[in-house]
Structures are given as structure tokens and as C-alpha cells.
Amino acid sequence: MKVFGGIEVGGTKIVCVIASGPDDIHDEVVVSTTTPEETLPRVLDFFSSGVPGALLSAVGIGTFGPLDLNPSSSTYGYITSTTKPGWSQVDIAGEVQRALGVPVVLDTDVKAAAVGEGTWGAAKGLDDFIYLTIGTGIGGGGVFGGKPMHGMIHPEMGHIRIPHDIKKDPYKGYCPFHGDCFEGLASGQAMQERWGQKAEMLPPDHEAWELETHYIALALQSYICTLSPRLIILGGGVMRQSHLFPLIRAKVRLFLGGYVRSPLVLDDTEEYILPPALGNRAGVLGALSLALTRST
Amino acid sequence: MKVFGGIEVGGTKIVCVIASGPDDIHDEVVVSTTTPEETLPRVLDFFSSGVPGALLSAVGIGTFGPLDLNPSSSTYGYITSTTKPGWSQVDIAGEVQRALGVPVVLDTDVKAAAVGEGTWGAAKGLDDFIYLTIGTGIGGGGVFGGKPMHGMIHPEMGHIRIPHDIKKDPYKGYCPFHGDCFEGLASGQAMQERWGQKAEMLPPDHEAWELETHYIALALQSYICTLSPRLIILGGGVMRQSHLFPLIRAKVRLFLGGYVRSPLVLDDTEEYILPPALGNRAGVLGALSLALTRST
């Protein structure tokens, strides 16, 4: 029996699965993210032990970045200059590949989540869509023409600039690089600094949400004009507040001003802007889905 | 001998070529864009007459939009709801295909220009880049993973929202859909309304350019974060003012704030943001390059 590995590398924990699909998980382990020297051997042990009677075919890794995804680069497959202590210049794809002797597919956590949603989730069967995670930070990944979009490095969709009316909202923004970029204005960190409590704790009728959905809709308007996605999936901690979806959809329609002539965008926005179908399993199942792209 | 056709459909004129490449143009004609009933037969006559001893293999069309580029749609290959009188719901690809009996590749004018630059111009050999035209309006097209990016409809990159400080710049914007989107603030039409004369007539030391390059750089920052292009080509009438390039490059570096960790973006911006190598032939050679994608 052929099985695949999925590794979701997060800032606090690493989730590993051996599975043939989302409904057929053979084994799973969660490891704390400490140093690479301590953490990676535990990950590799899990896969080396394996599952009786099952042959590991490939491993997918979805991780925080930035990553080097340029196949002609000498540091291809590395986590590059991350702010996470100890994890800069770690050859994560190479270490896994050498230890397990199987093909390894590396991508960013958001791009893995996007591929997972395209394989088993809300974007199943679609060739052009984006997955945006709005949590502590904001990140995005896209699949276009049926393939994960890399570009030169990889997108950093949370850092686009959006209109910011400082008379209405004098908050300067949280981003250390750009101040009031989208992430600087609308990430979980920004919300916590602005409102003095975590986004998850704010009640649905709090004034925070009017502003938050305003910024999210402005960013989506830009992504729609730039990429023309067939579907937008919004995940992450902040988006667990499901009452945000109708507000965001209405504002996106307003901001587009009837310009994108598609009934899906203009009328049926409830089928255009959706939560992830894989929920909080999007990360690890996304990593698993990367491995399947190497299936032969 | 195998030759290809290229048709650049503009609002005032249509340029047609029969060629095997940019340096081997066999015949060329320019037709005024009046009604489709009057104009298209003249285009088709040109190609039907052909070139002695040459066999037309395929035709590429780069045109104003919006277009229906969805192969499963009943109006695939049509110009859809354009503001250009008489040109809505015109089956432009179908008419050419039926009249000439060769494969036809249709795309937007900017996407055609992007493909042309990728085939023979500034982006030769690159898989991920964007082409932006800043003229009367603003449009953009991208090639990613080596393929023109379509998405659900096609991008309308000029209509992204960007920060607009109405205290510094009280102009409301020109766009009938969005007011002060990028096109509304920075297109040739916006410049003419704001400054009372055409962009081409403004001297290089006019205050207009400080503001214009500010808006262009803000938009590029968003495209870079969303798409991670390997190269940005800036064409169109406004960009013929070559003194704008150094201003734009400096502001893009400033707005990125060191975030995109690539020497190309952070240091060598003069190789990252470029004018089109094909100059004012980008449109028709772009259309020609679309035909070559059907070459076997």
C-alpha cells in the first residue's frame, strides 16, 4: 500500500501525518517547534518508523517562510532569513529527503493550504483561486492555471498597501516593514494592539469588525483585480468569526463597483468568498496534498 | 514557408501583420477601427490575400476587452460588454477562425504585449513577469509559470485600490467605477483632468511627476507582494517619459521597506523595472507571438 507524508511546520508546533488521503490517516504526531536540531530528528523518527505494510511514496512540507523555491538556487529548499530564532538557513527539504530517501515537495504554509483546498476542499476542481489566512499575521497563496503560483520568490500577499483614512482610523499599523500595509492594519496582532484584546475575544457587535471587514474587502478587491481568481478562501484565527463573511462579501461588491462583470462576483458572492472546507486541518492536509503532486 | 498572423485591435486602429518573427515581417496593414461590420472584412481580406509562397499557420489577436476567455462558455472568444460602440458581443476569434480556417489565439492587448516581451523582448527566457501599460487607461497582464495568467475572467490590474492622501492630493479620481483607484488617480485621462494638459506635454520638472511616480510605485508594491514577479515592464504613453523610471524604482524600494529579500528588488532595481524592449511594436508583435504559441 502506497502512503504519503504531510508535515505542517508552524511557529509553535509541527504536525506530521502518514496517510493516503484526508479520510485515511494511518498515523499522526505533534512535535513542539524548538530548535531544528531538536525538532527535526523527532519528525524524521516518526516517518522512519512508518506504518506496517505501507510504503512511503513522497513527503509534502508546508512551512512558515520565507523559503527558497528556486530550483536553480544553491539554497533551494531552505527556510531562508526567518525571524524565528535558529531556523534561518535550514535546509529543511534536503534533510527530510536525505533521511527518508523519498521525493519531497516544499512550499509555504499558505500555498500548501491552498493546494489542499484544491485537492479535497472548497476549491476542488478549480484551476484559479486564492487562499488567504488572516491570523496573527496575514498570508496568501494562489493556484493559477491549476498550479501553485510561485513567482520569483513567493507572494507576500499580506503586505500590499491599501487605502487608510487616518482621520477615521488613526492607528499607525503594526507591520515593522510597512506600518499600515494590510497586515499592519488588519492582522490579529494589529487588532490586539488596537483594541487591547485578542480578536477572538471581541464580541460580534464590537465596532472592530466594521473596520476589519472594510480592510479585508479592500485587500480582496486588489487581489480580484490583479489575479481574477475563481474563488477566494479565507482562513486563519480571525476568520473563525463566521459573521464576518456576509460583511466582507457586501463590501467587496461595493468596492468593485460593478466592474468585474461576473454573476459570481456581483450576485452570488456567498459562493465566491468562503471559509476553508478543511478547517483547522487545512495546514497538515495541505502539506499532505503537496506530496500527492509527486505521486506517479 | 510557414508564416503567422498578428492582429492588434485598438480603439482607433487595427494593425495586422503577416510574419515569421519580429525581424521578418512579410506584409502589414493598418485599418481604422470603425464598426465591426466595416472593419473586420478589411482585416480578413488582408490575411486572405496572403503572401505568395507562404502558408498561414495561425493567427493571434490582442484586443481591448473585456473578453470571454473561458473555453467552456458559449461566448468564448467574444469581446463582451465593452464601452466601445458597436463592439459588444462581437465573436472576434470565431469570425477570424471561420474566415481563414486556421487556429486563432485571442487575448487582451496587455496580455499579448506581455507574451511578446517574453518571446522576443525584455522578458525573454523568464517565466514570471508582468507587463503594465500606463496610457489613457491602465492595464496589466502577467505571465506566470511560463503561461499567460487568465484567472476567472482576466485581470483588471489598473483598478486596484491604493492609498490616496486627499489632504495632499484632493483630486477625486477619474474612474467611473471606483473614483480614486490606481487608474482613476494615475492614468493619462486622470493626469489630463488634474493638470489641464496631456501627460505627454508636461515637462520633466513638473510637479505632476512626483505624484504620478508615487502612485505607480504604490501599485507596483502591491503587484510585487501579490505576484512576486521576476520582472516588471512598464509601457504605454505616460511611460515614454523615461525620466520616470529612476523615480519609480527608488520609490518601490522605499515602499517595500526591505521586505522582499531579493538583491534584484532591493539593489538592482534598474534591472527589475524596465521599459518594453519592443517599444510601440509591443502590441502587434505581442499578437503575433500569441499565434506562435499554436505553432507545431
Side-chain angles (χ1 to χ4, degrees):
Chain A
M1 183 187 50
K2 239 192 207 177
V3 292
F4 300 89
I7 309 177
E8 175 191 14
V9 183
T12 55
K13 65 182 164 64
I14 297 180
V15 184
C16 306
V17 294
I18 297 174
S20 62
D23 302 321
D24 187 35
I25 308 278
H26 295 282
D27 202 0
E28 177 159 356
V29 75
V30 179
V31 173
S32 290
T33 312
T34 60
T35 63
E37 294 73 22
E38 193 173 66
T39 312
L40 288 180
R42 296 180 60 194
V43 168
L44 297 173
D45 278 352
F46 168 74
F47 287 104
S48 302
S49 311
V51 170
L55 182 70
L56 191 68
S57 300
V59 171
I61 308 174
T63 174
F64 59 80
L67 307 177
D68 185 339
L69 298 174
N70 176 2
S72 64
S73 161
S74 62
T75 55
Y76 176 55
Y78 280 51
I79 296 174
T80 58
S81 55
T82 178
T83 50
K84 173 109 187 132
W87 287 82
S88 280
Q89 303 305 325
V90 168
D91 179 15
I92 189 161
E95 289 212 24
V96 174
Q97 197 278 322
R98 285 187 294 273
L100 303 178
V102 296
V104 170
V105 184
L106 175 75
D107 219 320
T108 59
D109 39 14
V110 280
K111 212 113 52 78
V115 174
E117 289 290 329
T119 310
W120 299 302
K124 200 172 165 178
L126 300 183
D127 277 345
D128 307 284
F129 60 93
I130 60 175
Y131 179 99
L132 200 70
T133 175
I134 306 174
T136 313
I138 299 180
V143 170
F144 283 86
K147 287 189 180 167
M149 207 177 72
H150 291 303
M152 178 172 59
I153 305 176
H154 45 70
E156 294 284 359
M157 296 177 74
H159 292 270
I160 65 168
R161 308 275 171 143
I162 55 174
H164 173 206
D165 183 342
I166 53 167
K167 262 198 298 195
K168 278 193 191 162
D169 173 24
Y171 178 61
K172 295 243 180 262
Y174 189 90
C175 177
F177 295 95
H178 314 116
D180 64 350
C181 66
F182 175 36
E183 174 166 306
L185 289 171
S187 65
Q189 282 182 309
M191 291 194 77
Q192 187 167 356
E193 188 175 75
R194 188 202 302 262
W195 304 107
Q197 52 186 316
K198 280 181 178 278
E200 297 88 298
M201 308 302 288
L202 297 168
D205 59 353
H206 194 283
E207 61 177 318
W209 300 119
E210 183 62 29
L211 195 63
E212 179 69 5
T213 54
H214 173 84
Y215 290 137
I216 293 172
L218 281 172
L220 296 192
Q221 199 265 6
S222 273
Y223 302 143
I224 292 169
C225 288
T226 305
L227 294 164
S228 191
R230 167 66 185 73
L231 178 72
I232 296 174
I233 302 167
L234 299 180
V238 171
M239 292 311 303
R240 290 205 192 112
Q241 308 249 2
S242 62
H243 66 93
L244 300 185
F245 280 89
L247 293 172
I248 292 168
R249 290 172 188 138
K251 285 174 185 169
V252 166
R253 280 197 301 271
L254 181 72
F255 292 150
L256 283 170
Y259 192 70
V260 176
R261 294 176 193 79
S262 159
L264 192 65
V265 180
L266 298 181
D267 307 322
D268 309 323
T269 328
E270 65 277 10
E271 292 172 25
Y272 187 59
I273 298 172
L274 292 177
L278 303 176
N280 58 9
R281 299 288 280 170
V284 67
L285 293 179
L288 185 70
S289 70
L290 292 178
L292 269 76
T293 63
R294 274 301 175 88
S295 172
T296 49
Chain B
M1 183 187 49
K2 238 191 206 180
V3 292
F4 300 90
I7 308 177
E8 175 191 13
V9 183
T12 56
K13 64 183 166 65
I14 297 180
V15 184
C16 307
V17 294
I18 297 174
S20 63
D23 303 320
D24 187 36
I25 308 279
H26 295 283
D27 201 0
E28 176 159 357
V29 74
V30 179
V31 173
S32 290
T33 312
T34 60
T35 64
E37 294 73 22
E38 194 174 66
T39 312
L40 289 180
R42 296 180 60 195
V43 168
L44 298 174
D45 278 352
F46 167 75
F47 287 104
S48 301
S49 311
V51 170
L55 182 70
L56 190 68
S57 300
V59 171
I61 308 173
T63 174
F64 58 80
L67 307 177
D68 186 339
L69 298 174
N70 176 3
S72 64
S73 161
S74 62
T75 55
Y76 176 55
Y78 281 52
I79 296 174
T80 58
S81 55
T82 177
T83 50
K84 173 108 186 134
W87 286 83
S88 280
Q89 303 304 324
V90 168
D91 179 14
I92 189 161
E95 289 212 24
V96 174
Q97 197 278 323
R98 284 187 294 273
L100 303 178
V102 295
V104 170
V105 183
L106 175 76
D107 219 320
T108 59
D109 39 14
V110 280
K111 213 116 48 81
V115 173
E117 288 290 329
T119 310
W120 299 301
K124 199 171 166 179
L126 300 183
D127 277 346
D128 306 285
F129 60 94
I130 59 175
Y131 179 99
L132 200 70
T133 176
I134 305 174
T136 314
I138 298 180
V143 170
F144 282 85
K147 286 189 180 169
M149 208 179 69
H150 291 304
M152 178 171 61
I153 306 175
H154 45 70
E156 293 285 359
M157 296 176 73
H159 292 270
I160 64 167
R161 308 275 171 142
I162 55 175
H164 173 206
D165 183 343
I166 53 167
K167 262 200 296 196
K168 279 194 191 161
D169 173 25
Y171 178 61
K172 295 242 179 265
Y174 189 90
C175 177
F177 295 95
H178 314 116
D180 64 349
C181 65
F182 176 37
E183 173 166 308
L185 289 171
S187 65
Q189 282 182 309
M191 292 195 77
Q192 186 167 358
E193 189 176 75
R194 188 203 301 262
W195 304 107
Q197 52 186 314
K198 280 179 179 280
E200 297 89 297
M201 308 302 289
L202 297 169
D205 59 353
H206 194 283
E207 60 176 320
W209 301 118
E210 184 60 30
L211 195 64
E212 179 69 5
T213 54
H214 173 84
Y215 290 137
I216 293 172
L218 281 172
L220 296 192
Q221 198 265 7
S222 273
Y223 302 142
I224 292 169
C225 288
T226 305
L227 294 163
S228 191
R230 167 66 187 72
L231 178 71
I232 297 174
I233 302 168
L234 299 180
V238 171
M239 291 311 302
R240 290 208 190 108
Q241 308 248 2
S242 61
H243 67 93
L244 300 185
F245 280 89
L247 293 172
I248 292 168
R249 290 172 188 138
K251 285 174 185 171
V252 165
R253 281 197 300 271
L254 182 72
F255 293 151
L256 283 170
Y259 191 69
V260 176
R261 293 175 193 82
S262 159
L264 193 65
V265 180
L266 297 182
D267 308 322
D268 310 324
T269 329
E270 65 278 9
E271 291 172 26
Y272 187 60
I273 299 172
L274 292 177
L278 303 175
N280 59 9
R281 299 289 281 170
V284 67
L285 293 179
L288 185 70
S289 70
L290 292 177
L292 269 75
T293 63
R294 275 301 176 88
S295 173
T296 49

